[in-house]
Amino acid sequence: MRAGDRAYVTLREEITNGDLPAGTVLGEVEQATRLGVSRTPVREAIRRLIGEGLAVRRERGVEVTEVSLDNIRELYDVRVALECQAARLAARNRDPEVFETLEAAFDDVSGLLDDRDGLRRDYYALVARFDDAIDDAVDNPYLVAAMRTVRTHLARIRHMARSDRSRLLDAAREHALIVHAIIEGNGELAAHATHVHLYNSLSHRLAKAVSLEGHTADAVSPDEGDARETA
Amino acid sequence: MRAGDRAYVTLREEITNGDLPAGTVLGEVEQATRLGVSRTPVREAIRRLIGEGLAVRRERGVEVTEVSLDNIRELYDVRVALECQAARLAARNRDPEVFETLEAAFDDVSGLLDDRDGLRRDYYALVARFDDAIDDAVDNPYLVAAMRTVRTHLARIRHMARSDRSRLLDAAREHALIVHAIIEGNGELAAHATHVHLYNSLSHRLAKAVSLEGHTADAVSPDEGDARETA
DNA sequence: TGCGCCTTCAGTGTATACACAAACGTCGTC
DNA sequence: GACGACGTTTGTGTATACACTGAAGGCGCA
């Protein structure tokens, strides 16, 4: 792997993790020293981060962007548009077998969910498979790229609103319906079920985020590092 | 302006113009020599182009991506999702005055359209104002960024399907309806009118592109260099 | 003591040197 | 004559040197 790619992956990971919080200035020399490479690959990595919107040029150097509650709403406005369309297209092109497997898994999910993080991780892995199946079925590189960008940004606010068990069970039912509609080839139902799912997801997150603001916002456990963000 | 930005703007312009056709290999040294800068800024520019999907890494170096008829359909699938949502949001947040001015302009457009390219450019400038007004009203950086990406790609296939006078008149009526719905604050109508407009736009383009394929595909006059692509 | 100018420094922008990998051509051998 | 191996060439990856800009701090003068 090239040093430039490593620097990019590392920095992006640290930003989404929160290790590099919003407002952190990304000096080329500083990051180059820290990552053990020269300025050139770091420079490339930072430029890519700026291109994705994870960092911005400021008067003095570049710094990690903020993510506010308003940003969450904005991201969901884009997400609804993209993922409803994706569901619609997936219903048109889908391979039924893939989604039948997924449907069975979502129906069985109550047996999977436990308060122990290992099992929760299994659920997130299932959602990741769901996302991949959609990406694969839509077969549209532009749409997939746009969705990936939104997912990257949403991953940053994961720690602000961690889903609880009851929300995950609801989310599983919502996913099951989306998958069912896709199997039936019912694009409109798939799109609308996606809309419903994302509305509920956003409502849950906003409630969590607001209730956390102020007292324990920074004390939320930031585990589940690589879990995909779709509950 | 920095050399890196200049290199990026120049290369992107040349790619969308068709001066650098699909498949052209973008060698760092070659482009650096041609643009009169060193490899470093050229390198940055090429990386940005790759990030946007205008270029791809190949076995040997990087080259300008292809745009096929299938790509046009894929782009419109994304465009419909994004711009319908944008119209909906614009109807919610709009400043009525801005759109009333636009509505008047679209109603008067038949007086503007002439076969002479200068007047046609005026029409494209009006559409650009429309796009800017939407971008401004939605007030969502993520959505605007996604739409800009799609527009950049669509600009590349402009020469494949140039709109004729009657299509432009129809497009003006379609735009007028979208604007009207936005003024009324009718988000659903704005979204659906956008859907109709984009459907007609795509149909027109595909018909043109198919009819051009084979005989005069490369002979289409590539003027109207900086016209925004929305008819 | 305060204000303004100058010097210095930190950091980015650009150029270039060096390293390394892959491909092509040529030469030698079978 | 053909095939294989080695050298050369071309191009990217990385590091670093140099230039320029903007800022901050210190010093001098009022």
Side-chain angles (χ1 to χ4, degrees):
Chain A
M1 203 181 192
R2 297 181 314 151
D5 292 335
R6 257 185 295 119
Y8 167 70
V9 170
T10 305
L11 287 174
R12 198 186 59 174
E13 186 72 14
E14 290 176 338
I15 290 173
T16 54
N17 275 350
D19 292 346
L20 290 175
T24 306
V25 297
L26 298 174
E28 291 180 8
V29 286
E30 177 192 352
Q31 299 303 321
T33 308
R34 193 171 66 87
L35 300 176
V37 293
S38 81
R39 282 178 52 208
T40 308
V42 168
R43 191 180 175 75
E44 177 193 329
I46 291 178
R47 283 346 215 294
R48 287 171 72 177
L49 295 172
I50 293 172
E52 281 183 303
L54 291 175
V56 277
R57 288 186 176 292
R58 287 264 174 257
E59 328 73 45
R60 195 76 181 154
V62 356
E63 65 181 46
V64 178
T65 51
E66 299 283 341
V67 269
S68 65
L69 275 187
D70 277 347
N71 289 146
I72 301 181
R73 291 192 195 89
E74 289 168 351
L75 281 165
Y76 266 84
D77 278 339
V78 183
R79 198 180 178 195
V80 165
L82 294 173
E83 300 214 357
C84 287
Q85 179 76 310
R88 208 180 332 257
L89 296 175
R92 186 193 299 165
N93 307 336
R94 98 257 103 129
D95 169 4
E97 276 187 29
V98 174
F99 286 93
E100 274 157 14
T101 310
L102 277 172
E103 188 178 31
F106 277 117
D107 284 340
D108 282 349
V109 92
S110 59
L112 203 72
L113 283 171
D114 193 304
D115 282 353
R116 292 194 292 127
D117 279 347
L119 297 182
R120 183 192 293 268
R121 231 190 304 276
D122 284 349
Y123 175 72
Y124 283 129
L126 175 57
V127 172
R129 274 176 52 208
F130 169 81
D131 283 345
D132 289 341
I134 297 271
D135 288 0
D136 199 53
V138 299
D139 192 29
N140 181 328
Y142 307 104
L143 182 53
V144 170
M147 289 194 292
R148 278 198 207 291
T149 302
V150 173
R151 284 179 197 146
T152 299
H153 280 93
L154 282 172
R156 293 188 64 191
I157 46 103
R158 181 184 298 139
H159 65 282
M160 291 179 68
R162 190 180 168 195
S163 299
D164 53 38
R165 180 185 161 84
S166 83
R167 171 62 199 139
L168 290 182
L169 285 172
D170 286 345
R173 269 193 291 274
E174 292 160 13
H175 276 121
L177 178 58
I178 297 170
V179 172
H180 186 74
I182 290 174
I183 293 171
E184 281 190 328
N186 189 337
E188 282 315 298
L189 179 59
H192 294 159
T194 300
H195 195 162
V196 167
H197 167 61
L198 292 178
Y199 176 82
N200 288 333
S201 168
L202 174 60
S203 300
H204 185 267
R205 284 193 159 183
L206 287 180
K208 282 266 176 174
V210 170
S211 75
L212 285 174
E213 257 187 357
H215 41 107
T216 52
D218 289 332
V220 192
S221 68
D223 52 2
E224 321 172 89
D226 56 354
R228 196 88 68 95
E229 192 41 66
T230 323
Chain B
M1 202 181 192
R2 296 182 315 152
D5 292 335
R6 257 185 296 120
Y8 167 70
V9 171
T10 305
L11 287 174
R12 198 186 61 173
E13 186 72 13
E14 290 176 337
I15 290 173
T16 55
N17 274 350
D19 292 346
L20 290 175
T24 306
V25 297
L26 298 174
E28 290 180 9
V29 286
E30 177 192 353
Q31 298 303 322
T33 308
R34 193 171 65 86
L35 300 176
V37 293
S38 81
R39 281 178 52 211
T40 309
V42 169
R43 191 181 176 75
E44 177 193 329
I46 291 177
R47 284 344 216 294
R48 288 172 73 177
L49 296 172
I50 293 173
E52 282 182 303
L54 291 175
V56 278
R57 290 188 174 290
R58 288 266 174 252
E59 327 74 45
R60 193 74 179 155
V62 356
E63 65 180 46
V64 178
T65 51
E66 298 283 340
V67 269
S68 65
L69 275 187
D70 276 348
N71 289 146
I72 301 180
R73 291 192 196 91
E74 289 168 350
L75 281 165
Y76 266 84
D77 278 339
V78 183
R79 198 181 178 196
V80 165
L82 294 173
E83 301 214 357
C84 287
Q85 179 76 311
R88 206 178 336 255
L89 296 176
R92 187 193 298 164
N93 308 336
R94 96 261 106 127
D95 169 5
E97 276 187 30
V98 174
F99 286 92
E100 274 158 13
T101 310
L102 278 171
E103 188 178 30
F106 277 117
D107 284 341
D108 282 351
V109 92
S110 61
L112 202 72
L113 283 170
D114 195 302
D115 284 353
R116 291 194 295 128
D117 280 346
L119 296 182
R120 181 191 295 268
R121 233 189 305 275
D122 284 347
Y123 175 72
Y124 284 130
L126 176 56
V127 173
R129 272 176 52 206
F130 169 81
D131 283 345
D132 289 341
I134 297 272
D135 289 0
D136 198 52
V138 299
D139 192 29
N140 180 328
Y142 307 103
L143 182 53
V144 169
M147 288 195 293
R148 277 199 207 290
T149 302
V150 173
R151 285 179 197 146
T152 299
H153 281 92
L154 282 172
R156 293 189 62 190
I157 46 103
R158 182 184 298 141
H159 65 282
M160 291 177 70
R162 191 180 166 194
S163 299
D164 52 38
R165 179 183 162 85
S166 82
R167 171 60 198 141
L168 291 182
L169 285 172
D170 287 345
R173 270 192 290 274
E174 293 160 13
H175 275 121
L177 178 57
I178 297 170
V179 172
H180 187 73
I182 289 174
I183 293 171
E184 282 190 329
N186 189 338
E188 283 313 298
L189 179 58
H192 295 159
T194 300
H195 195 163
V196 167
H197 168 61
L198 292 178
Y199 177 82
N200 288 334
S201 168
L202 174 60
S203 299
H204 185 266
R205 284 192 158 183
L206 287 179
K208 281 267 176 171
V210 169
S211 76
L212 285 174
E213 257 187 357
H215 40 106
T216 51
D218 290 331
V220 192
S221 66
D223 53 2
E224 319 173 90
D226 57 353
R228 196 88 69 96
E229 192 40 69
T230 323

